[in-house]
Amino acid sequence: DYQHVQVPFEITLWIMLASLAKIGFHLYNKLPSVVPESCLLIFVGLIMGGIIYGLNDKSPPVMDSDIFFLYLLPPIVLDAGYFMPSRPFFENIGTILLYAVVGTIWNVFGIGFSLYGICQVKAFRLQDVSLLHNLLFGSLIAAVDPVAVLAVFEEIHVNEKLHILVFGESLLNDAVTVVLYKLFRSFCEMPTIKTVDIFAGVGKFFVVGLGGVLVGLIFGMTAAFTTRFTKDIRVIEPLFVFLYSYLSYLTAEMFHLSGIVAIIACAMGMKRYVEANISLKSHTTVKYFMKMWSSVSDTLIFIFLGVSTIGENHEWNWPYICFTVIFCLIWRALGVLVLTFFVNRFHVNTITGKDQFIIAYGGLRGAICFSLVFLLPDFHRKKLFIAATTVVILFTVFIQGMTIRPLVDLLAVKRKRESAPTVGEQIHIRFLDHLLAGIEDISGHWGQYYWKDKLEYFNSKYLQKILLREYDQPKSSIVLLYEKLERKHAIELAEAGQLGHAPSHPSLLCSVFLCSNNDRTVIKDKKLEDTLNPDILENIQEILARNLYRIRRTGPAYNRHTLPGETEPVEHAKEILILRHKSL
Amino acid sequence: DYQHVQVPFEITLWIMLASLAKIGFHLYNKLPSVVPESCLLIFVGLIMGGIIYGLNDKSPPVMDSDIFFLYLLPPIVLDAGYFMPSRPFFENIGTILLYAVVGTIWNVFGIGFSLYGICQVKAFRLQDVSLLHNLLFGSLIAAVDPVAVLAVFEEIHVNEKLHILVFGESLLNDAVTVVLYKLFRSFCEMPTIKTVDIFAGVGKFFVVGLGGVLVGLIFGMTAAFTTRFTKDIRVIEPLFVFLYSYLSYLTAEMFHLSGIVAIIACAMGMKRYVEANISLKSHTTVKYFMKMWSSVSDTLIFIFLGVSTIGENHEWNWPYICFTVIFCLIWRALGVLVLTFFVNRFHVNTITGKDQFIIAYGGLRGAICFSLVFLLPDFHRKKLFIAATTVVILFTVFIQGMTIRPLVDLLAVKRKRESAPTVGEQIHIRFLDHLLAGIEDISGHWGQYYWKDKLEYFNSKYLQKILLREYDQPKSSIVLLYEKLERKHAIELAEAGQLGHAPSHPSLLCSVFLCSNNDRTVIKDKKLEDTLNPDILENIQEILARNLYRIRRTGPAYNRHTLPGETEPVEHAKEILILRHKSL
């Protein structure tokens, strides 16, 4: 009864094949270090496509664009958005947007017009390809693909800034691609094009992009709000993260907004609140499942790319295909050079020549182009476009993807630092942030730090109160362990009858120290304490208690929104009373 | 562009509704403690069905049987199988099988024949319902539903044996239900029934049940084998657990075997090997996601049950429906009484009267009956059957489900023990197992313990070698922490220059003790040690080393398959050498 179970059975088998292929590559340790996984997967796809083609004698099924956009792409983008390092992203948001918007438009028109120029050469027999068709082709071939970029850049470990520039561009150019692609497609079907249509197209940019952000943020905040109430049923917490982000993607797609932008905004918006609300185990599950899902989607996409390449839906035309590859390379290189020139004039931390080369060279094309070209309306040169797109994708993924790692080594591009930042560094970064926000505030320059600080203030004052659960903030395991140890020690002390003469602060501190250190040197301190006069101890205790209070009181002054001495004297007295009460 | 995203959008919305309903119930703490969640969910479904019916003025969509059997049921059964407590299950496997096979057949024929009797009463106007149709109806209404049983029994916390008896029966009766249902359905379509067909039906029992077990075990072992090779890509480990169990279900369904039995065999078979192979985080993800998935499926099923109840596909006939409910209760009670009488004659640990009552009363019907009745071929009384099935389900879930908790309290049925068994208990249980296996072996009685021991032997000798990863067995976090502490301590000792005069065994033991205890009493031992003569220390060390070796050597004698003194003298000497080498 195969008919009955066909759909789920075949889906499961495809996923299984993808997973097994992944395991297979990793069994041979040398292979993945030379060839990127994406290439290997496309290769597996090519072989499978060849087998299907050989057995059935007809073209194997191509990747359905609906399946790609509705089921395979969202997990990857969600994963990318959720694990996006927000600090470098927002620090470079201007540059990223410039590359994503202006750079992509530059590439689209550059490639479109120059290919139209090629079509005018009579010897190539391409005179029937109109300018609009060339621009349409340019709009789908120009966009850098996030899936392909992620697959390659995750393996070569370049520095954070370079990574976020290429990757951020590949994500955010979706809005531009969607608009241009749809614009040119509708122009192709229109008899005449009016000027007003072109202006409407420009206006659409903002609607599609900002609309996506809005939809994403709304769903993200709703998700955060929902997880406030899951205290009693921890087990469905991870579900909400997936459901809301998927809904944001679908809603954006429904209104013809940019789904990719929406899901990224949703993931980045909810991350911090959801993480604070859900349990540690739920969070492990969310992270793990996201990685797993995106990894499987990724694998499936590359395998399908390979399978879909085989078949008879290609029309081969040497000049058009070769010039497409060449123009893709040239226009991207030119675009990066020109845009970086402007960016560097306004930044202290400039983008070096090496970085520019990697940015230009890392412009990989992938499954999005492929799906878009199949979505084209039928016209007589569609097969030529499919062939050209396939060649560009294979060229970028294979040739550029395989050579980028040696090039990074050769150019000695700055790598990602291996170790996590130390506590000292973190404190200094935080301190400098506050300092710069203050300087910007005083100088009246509303820069990046000023807005960041305002946002942080708004967040702590309003958003957190609505979105975060009020009580029991989840504690990290180390804090829980520490509390447990302290409680245990207190019980032991009480059982040993040592609490009779009121434990002094230093002895408590000391015993905590003993708890955590297990060292013989502590024992000496213990003896030292025993030999001290109780009066002196009392004295030390008082000094310590007062100082500890003072430290705690001056603590909030680090925050720009409270002034030192803002706390009322009545509160002060009350707190000291509470403190005393506790210490007795 | 709603058409484009309709399918995933609606699925996501349904899941979202289910999750939100779950959160809603838990916000009011009192509600779930009185009314089982399943009732509340059906109630939500009824309201939603009413709204849809009111707005559209046509019957709301009924739950698609395909969706139920292919997508909603497998996660619940997988969860049930994976978390099945294997010890009580295998200890009571005979009783469970008796209830599941003989009990279900008893119920099917009892209900079928007595309803046929009712149909002969002229006043009821049911004379057109043939005996075969009544038996067919009996076959779908007789089976206890695992989803409903699980939903209710997880909340009332009866003792483990009682729980596994009802739950095990509800899972394993699937094979019987599948066979009888298909048998009667094909008989209904046949013109004449030959005796050979009936015998073929009996033979099918074994094929369907054992075939399911076989398919499940094959996929389970393959899954365990696959996870041997996932060391480098931990992130897709959880996937294999889900993929292989789902494949086992689909494969079994494809060959008309029992999918439920297959997925349970797969889950129980792979659990132990997979757990040993995959990383701790993967395991958390597997457990969490399984619980999450089954919880969502469960919620959806009950909501759909409610929605599908509303509508115009019911034919109301008071006597038939009332007698169905009554016969369901009577035949189940009788069946349990008779079967338990036989079971108690062969067991020391008998099933008490109270337990029997709960077993009979816990025979809830659920979504499986509902899906089966919609799968019936069209005939003129189908709507009557649908109405009767709906009433039986609602009656059992609402009336029985809501009263079973007070009844359990009233009868003072033995509850589940709250605490986990102590280490002492565990050791004694293990010891008794070995002892009983030995006694059974000597007395020539091939009982439960004998087979368990044989299986354990086969497992450790062959299966583990094939299915488990060879090196780096995953260690529990406590062992890792202990190793870390010990290593740290050794480094500290070395830095303090105390390793100069060779650390004696007792001192090492003592310092480990210090590490883990943090107690002042240890310090005294430390001093004691310092005052000991080095000669005496040497002596103690040797005695300890020898004794420790002896304990370790005699250790394997606990295993029935090695005799004491089986190790060669050469090996003995070699091991002592190694021991010495380590201690120096």
Side-chain angles (χ1 to χ4, degrees):
Chain A
D1 193 9
Y2 183 62
Q3 282 296 316
H4 181 58
V5 296
Q6 188 179 11
V7 180
F9 197 75
E10 286 183 357
I11 293 172
T12 318
L13 275 187
W14 273 110
I15 299 177
M16 185 72 97
L17 172 84
S19 318
L20 290 178
K22 251 193 142 84
I23 288 188
F25 299 149
H26 282 272
L27 278 185
Y28 298 94
N29 280 322
K30 280 189 184 169
L31 210 55
S33 66
V34 181
V35 189
E37 218 182 82
S38 41
C39 300
L40 289 173
L41 291 170
I42 291 184
F43 198 71
V44 169
L46 286 173
I47 293 171
M48 289 214 39
I51 293 171
I52 297 174
Y53 189 53
L55 289 179
N56 291 1
D57 210 23
K58 61 176 182 183
S59 303
V62 295
M63 176 160 54
D64 188 338
S65 299
D66 262 4
I67 291 179
F68 173 74
F69 281 114
L70 290 182
Y71 305 107
L72 294 178
L73 190 57
I76 299 176
V77 182
L78 173 63
D79 176 58
Y82 197 82
F83 292 100
M84 174 95 79
S86 58
R87 200 185 159 83
F89 179 74
F90 284 113
E91 269 176 4
N92 297 300
I93 184 82
T95 317
I96 292 171
L97 279 176
L98 196 72
Y99 283 141
V101 179
V102 183
T104 308
I105 295 174
W106 164 286
N107 276 317
V108 170
F109 285 97
I111 294 170
F113 280 113
S114 39
L115 278 178
Y116 182 63
I118 295 300
C119 292
Q120 300 314 308
V121 179
K122 277 189 181 165
F124 296 160
R125 294 185 195 168
L126 289 161
Q127 279 151 308
D128 53 338
V129 186
S130 71
L131 175 62
L132 259 180
H133 276 120
N134 271 317
L135 283 173
L136 180 58
F137 180 65
S139 76
L140 67 87
I141 203 76
V144 175
D145 186 79
V147 183
V149 165
L150 205 60
V152 167
F153 272 70
E154 273 199 343
E155 291 181 10
I156 60 175
H157 304 293
V158 293
N159 66 74
E160 231 175 10
K161 188 179 171 188
L162 187 52
H163 183 255
I164 206 74
L165 284 180
V166 182
F167 182 50
E169 179 204 338
S170 70
L171 285 174
L172 297 189
N173 66 20
D174 178 58
V176 180
T177 311
V178 167
V179 171
L180 284 181
Y181 177 77
K182 287 191 178 148
L183 200 70
F184 289 130
R185 214 175 66 174
S186 56
F187 283 176
C188 281
E189 283 156 7
M190 274 185 213
T192 55
I193 301 156
K194 289 173 197 159
T195 329
V196 72
D197 292 327
I198 295 171
F199 280 107
V202 175
K204 258 194 171 176
F205 273 130
F206 297 98
V207 175
V208 168
L210 295 180
V213 172
L214 194 72
V215 167
L217 284 182
I218 289 172
F219 277 98
M221 293 301 119
T222 322
F225 186 69
T226 312
T227 51
R228 263 189 78 163
F229 305 104
T230 51
K231 207 180 122 195
D232 296 319
I233 24 169
R234 293 285 188 194
V235 97
I236 58 169
E237 279 174 345
L239 200 64
F240 286 108
V241 176
F242 298 111
L243 284 181
Y244 277 109
S245 27
Y246 193 43
L247 273 185
S248 77
Y249 181 84
L250 292 178
T251 311
E253 288 284 309
M254 196 157 74
F255 294 114
H256 292 288
L257 305 175
S258 166
I260 292 183
V261 172
I263 206 168
I264 286 172
C266 177
M268 291 182 86
M270 75 178 156
K271 188 185 180 190
R272 119 184 236 177
Y273 306 106
V274 166
E275 269 182 19
N277 277 336
I278 68 179
S279 77
L280 271 178
K281 277 195 178 172
S282 297
H283 193 219
T284 306
T285 307
V286 167
K287 286 192 292 185
Y288 224 82
F289 220 79
M290 225 173 245
K291 283 272 167 229
M292 190 180 98
W293 217 327
S294 75
S295 149
V296 169
S297 278
D298 191 274
T299 312
L300 281 176
I301 287 173
F302 284 115
I303 288 185
F304 277 136
L305 256 184
V307 171
S308 311
T309 304
I310 307 287
E312 282 157 1
N313 36 22
H314 298 290
E315 182 197 333
W316 204 260
N317 179 306
W318 273 106
Y320 195 83
I321 288 171
C322 289
F323 276 109
T324 307
V325 174
I326 293 166
F327 287 141
C328 278
L329 287 174
I330 290 176
W331 284 104
R332 180 159 177 88
L334 276 179
V336 170
L337 276 179
V338 173
L339 290 175
T340 317
F341 175 73
F342 285 108
V343 168
N344 278 348
R345 286 192 59 178
F346 296 101
H347 280 78
V348 184
N349 207 346
T350 56
I351 300 166
T352 64
K354 285 174 191 172
D355 286 355
Q356 289 176 40
F357 177 76
I358 296 296
I359 292 172
Y361 202 72
L364 307 182
R365 268 70 164 182
I368 291 186
C369 311
F370 199 78
S371 302
L372 287 178
V373 82
F374 273 99
L375 278 181
L376 283 181
D378 275 324
F379 77 110
H380 66 288
R381 286 291 196 172
K382 188 177 171 182
K383 286 189 175 181
L384 173 65
F385 284 3
I386 292 176
T389 310
T390 310
V391 170
V392 170
I393 293 170
L394 293 185
F395 179 83
T396 54
V397 172
F398 273 87
I399 310 290
Q400 291 179 217
M402 280 166 75
T403 51
I404 199 164
R405 194 201 301 253
L407 278 173
V408 165
D409 290 339
L410 199 74
L411 292 172
V413 173
K414 211 177 136 203
R415 295 303 182 93
K416 203 161 81 179
R417 53 185 294 172
E418 294 291 315
S419 56
T422 62
V423 176
E425 279 174 310
Q426 283 177 353
I427 289 172
H428 278 93
I429 289 170
R430 183 78 65 90
F431 171 69
L432 282 174
D433 282 358
H434 280 290
L435 192 70
L436 282 167
I439 292 171
E440 282 187 355
D441 201 10
I442 291 166
S443 65
H445 170 73
W446 291 355
Q448 175 187 347
Y449 293 97
Y450 175 82
W451 286 113
K452 197 176 163 187
D453 194 75
K454 280 276 171 231
L455 204 70
E456 206 52 55
Y457 178 67
F458 176 72
N459 171 45
S460 66
K461 185 126 191 192
Y462 303 104
L463 281 182
Q464 282 197 347
K465 281 180 193 154
I466 303 169
L467 301 179
L468 286 191
R469 205 171 286 166
E470 278 162 60
Y471 309 99
D472 73 321
Q473 295 294 329
K475 286 163 185 161
S476 75
S477 60
I478 206 152
V479 176
L480 287 176
L481 182 71
Y482 175 73
E483 277 186 355
K484 213 169 161 187
L485 277 175
E486 240 194 0
R487 214 175 299 128
K488 196 182 147 201
H489 190 79
I491 291 167
E492 277 171 14
L493 278 182
E495 279 173 350
Q498 296 210 343
L499 281 179
H501 52 89
S504 58
H505 256 255
S507 86
L508 269 177
L509 280 174
C510 177
S511 52
V512 167
F513 193 41
L514 181 70
C515 264
S516 51
N517 265 29
N518 306 317
D519 212 346
R520 206 169 291 176
T521 55
V522 185
I523 299 152
K524 284 177 205 154
D525 291 359
K526 200 84 192 170
K527 275 179 204 150
L528 185 78
E529 183 214 325
D530 288 339
T531 58
L532 275 177
N533 194 318
D535 284 358
I536 301 172
L537 261 181
E538 191 84 3
N539 204 358
I540 292 175
Q541 183 188 343
E542 251 197 49
I543 292 169
L544 274 173
R546 216 179 314 124
N547 280 314
L548 280 173
Y549 179 75
R550 195 175 296 154
I551 288 169
R552 212 167 57 70
R553 231 194 76 216
T554 53
Y558 276 180
N559 192 326
R560 279 185 54 245
H561 308 289
T562 52
L563 286 170
E566 220 178 32
T567 43
E568 300 283 309
V570 181
E571 262 186 29
H572 186 156
K574 210 160 72 184
E575 285 204 16
I576 286 182
L577 266 176
I578 293 168
L579 210 73
R580 274 290 158 85
H581 186 80
K582 271 185 192 162
S583 81
L584 287 173
Chain B
D1 195 9
Y2 183 62
Q3 282 297 317
H4 181 58
V5 296
Q6 188 179 12
V7 179
F9 197 75
E10 286 184 356
I11 293 172
T12 318
L13 276 187
W14 273 111
I15 298 176
M16 185 72 96
L17 172 84
S19 317
L20 290 179
K22 252 195 142 85
I23 289 188
F25 299 150
H26 282 272
L27 277 185
Y28 298 94
N29 280 322
K30 280 187 182 169
L31 209 56
S33 65
V34 180
V35 189
E37 217 180 84
S38 42
C39 299
L40 290 173
L41 291 170
I42 291 184
F43 199 70
V44 169
L46 286 173
I47 293 171
M48 290 215 37
I51 293 171
I52 298 174
Y53 189 52
L55 290 178
N56 289 2
D57 210 24
K58 63 178 183 183
S59 303
V62 295
M63 176 160 53
D64 189 336
S65 299
D66 263 3
I67 291 179
F68 174 73
F69 281 113
L70 290 183
Y71 305 107
L72 293 177
L73 190 58
I76 300 177
V77 182
L78 173 62
D79 176 59
Y82 197 82
F83 291 101
M84 175 94 81
S86 58
R87 199 185 161 84
F89 179 75
F90 283 113
E91 268 176 3
N92 297 300
I93 184 81
T95 317
I96 292 171
L97 278 177
L98 197 70
Y99 283 140
V101 179
V102 183
T104 308
I105 296 174
W106 164 287
N107 276 317
V108 170
F109 284 97
I111 295 169
F113 278 113
S114 38
L115 278 178
Y116 183 62
I118 295 298
C119 292
Q120 300 316 306
V121 179
K122 276 186 182 168
F124 296 158
R125 293 187 196 168
L126 288 161
Q127 278 151 308
D128 54 336
V129 186
S130 70
L131 175 63
L132 258 181
H133 276 119
N134 271 317
L135 284 173
L136 179 58
F137 180 64
S139 76
L140 68 87
I141 203 76
V144 176
D145 186 78
V147 182
V149 165
L150 205 60
V152 167
F153 273 70
E154 273 200 341
E155 291 181 10
I156 59 174
H157 304 293
V158 293
N159 64 73
E160 230 176 10
K161 189 180 172 187
L162 187 51
H163 183 255
I164 205 75
L165 283 181
V166 182
F167 182 50
E169 179 203 338
S170 71
L171 284 174
L172 297 189
N173 66 21
D174 178 59
V176 181
T177 312
V178 167
V179 171
L180 283 181
Y181 178 77
K182 288 191 178 148
L183 200 69
F184 289 131
R185 213 175 67 173
S186 55
F187 282 178
C188 282
E189 284 156 6
M190 275 187 214
T192 55
I193 300 156
K194 289 172 197 160
T195 328
V196 73
D197 291 328
I198 294 170
F199 279 108
V202 175
K204 258 194 172 177
F205 274 130
F206 297 98
V207 175
V208 168
L210 295 180
V213 172
L214 194 72
V215 168
L217 284 182
I218 289 171
F219 277 98
M221 293 301 117
T222 321
F225 187 69
T226 311
T227 51
R228 262 189 78 164
F229 304 104
T230 52
K231 208 179 120 197
D232 296 319
I233 23 170
R234 293 285 188 194
V235 97
I236 56 169
E237 279 174 345
L239 201 65
F240 286 109
V241 176
F242 297 110
L243 285 181
Y244 277 110
S245 27
Y246 193 43
L247 273 184
S248 77
Y249 182 84
L250 293 178
T251 311
E253 288 284 309
M254 195 158 73
F255 294 115
H256 293 287
L257 305 174
S258 166
I260 292 183
V261 171
I263 206 168
I264 286 173
C266 177
M268 292 181 87
M270 76 177 154
K271 188 184 180 191
R272 127 183 230 179
Y273 306 106
V274 166
E275 268 182 22
N277 277 337
I278 69 180
S279 77
L280 271 179
K281 277 194 178 172
S282 298
H283 194 219
T284 306
T285 307
V286 167
K287 284 193 291 185
Y288 224 82
F289 220 79
M290 225 175 243
K291 283 272 169 230
M292 191 180 96
W293 217 327
S294 75
S295 150
V296 169
S297 279
D298 190 277
T299 313
L300 281 177
I301 287 173
F302 285 114
I303 288 184
F304 276 137
L305 256 184
V307 171
S308 311
T309 304
I310 307 286
E312 284 157 0
N313 37 23
H314 298 291
E315 182 196 333
W316 203 260
N317 179 304
W318 274 106
Y320 195 83
I321 288 170
C322 289
F323 276 109
T324 307
V325 174
I326 293 166
F327 287 141
C328 278
L329 286 173
I330 290 177
W331 284 103
R332 180 158 177 88
L334 276 179
V336 170
L337 275 178
V338 173
L339 289 176
T340 316
F341 175 73
F342 285 107
V343 168
N344 278 348
R345 285 191 61 178
F346 295 102
H347 280 78
V348 185
N349 207 345
T350 56
I351 300 166
T352 65
K354 285 174 193 173
D355 286 355
Q356 288 176 41
F357 177 77
I358 296 296
I359 293 172
Y361 201 72
L364 307 182
R365 267 69 163 185
I368 291 185
C369 310
F370 199 78
S371 301
L372 286 179
V373 82
F374 273 98
L375 278 182
L376 282 182
D378 275 322
F379 77 110
H380 64 288
R381 288 290 196 174
K382 188 177 170 182
K383 285 189 174 181
L384 174 65
F385 283 3
I386 292 177
T389 311
T390 309
V391 170
V392 169
I393 293 171
L394 293 184
F395 179 84
T396 53
V397 172
F398 274 86
I399 311 289
Q400 292 179 215
M402 280 167 75
T403 51
I404 199 163
R405 194 202 301 253
L407 279 173
V408 166
D409 290 338
L410 199 75
L411 293 172
V413 174
K414 211 176 136 205
R415 295 302 183 91
K416 202 162 83 180
R417 53 184 296 173
E418 294 292 313
S419 56
T422 61
V423 176
E425 281 176 308
Q426 283 177 351
I427 289 172
H428 278 93
I429 289 171
R430 181 80 65 92
F431 171 68
L432 281 174
D433 282 357
H434 280 290
L435 192 70
L436 282 168
I439 292 171
E440 281 187 355
D441 200 12
I442 291 166
S443 64
H445 169 74
W446 290 357
Q448 175 188 345
Y449 293 97
Y450 175 82
W451 285 113
K452 197 175 162 188
D453 194 75
K454 280 275 170 231
L455 204 68
E456 206 52 56
Y457 178 66
F458 176 71
N459 171 46
S460 65
K461 185 125 192 194
Y462 303 105
L463 282 182
Q464 282 197 346
K465 280 180 193 156
I466 303 169
L467 301 179
L468 286 192
R469 206 170 284 166
E470 277 163 60
Y471 309 98
D472 74 320
Q473 296 294 328
K475 285 161 186 165
S476 76
S477 59
I478 205 151
V479 174
L480 287 175
L481 182 72
Y482 175 73
E483 277 186 356
K484 213 170 161 185
L485 277 176
E486 239 194 1
R487 215 174 297 129
K488 197 181 146 199
H489 190 80
I491 290 167
E492 278 171 14
L493 279 181
E495 279 173 351
Q498 296 212 341
L499 282 178
H501 53 90
S504 58
H505 255 256
S507 86
L508 270 177
L509 280 174
C510 177
S511 51
V512 167
F513 194 41
L514 180 69
C515 264
S516 51
N517 266 30
N518 307 318
D519 213 346
R520 205 170 293 176
T521 53
V522 185
I523 300 152
K524 284 177 202 154
D525 292 357
K526 201 82 193 172
K527 277 181 201 147
L528 185 79
E529 182 214 326
D530 288 338
T531 57
L532 276 177
N533 193 320
D535 284 0
I536 301 172
L537 260 182
E538 191 84 5
N539 205 356
I540 292 175
Q541 183 189 343
E542 251 200 50
I543 292 169
L544 275 174
R546 217 180 311 123
N547 281 315
L548 280 174
Y549 179 75
R550 197 176 292 155
I551 288 168
R552 212 169 57 69
R553 232 195 74 216
T554 51
Y558 276 180
N559 191 326
R560 281 184 50 248
H561 307 287
T562 53
L563 285 169
E566 219 178 34
T567 43
E568 299 284 308
V570 181
E571 264 187 28
H572 186 156
K574 209 160 70 185
E575 286 204 16
I576 286 181
L577 265 177
I578 292 168
L579 209 73
R580 273 290 158 83
H581 187 79
K582 273 185 191 161
S583 82
L584 287 174

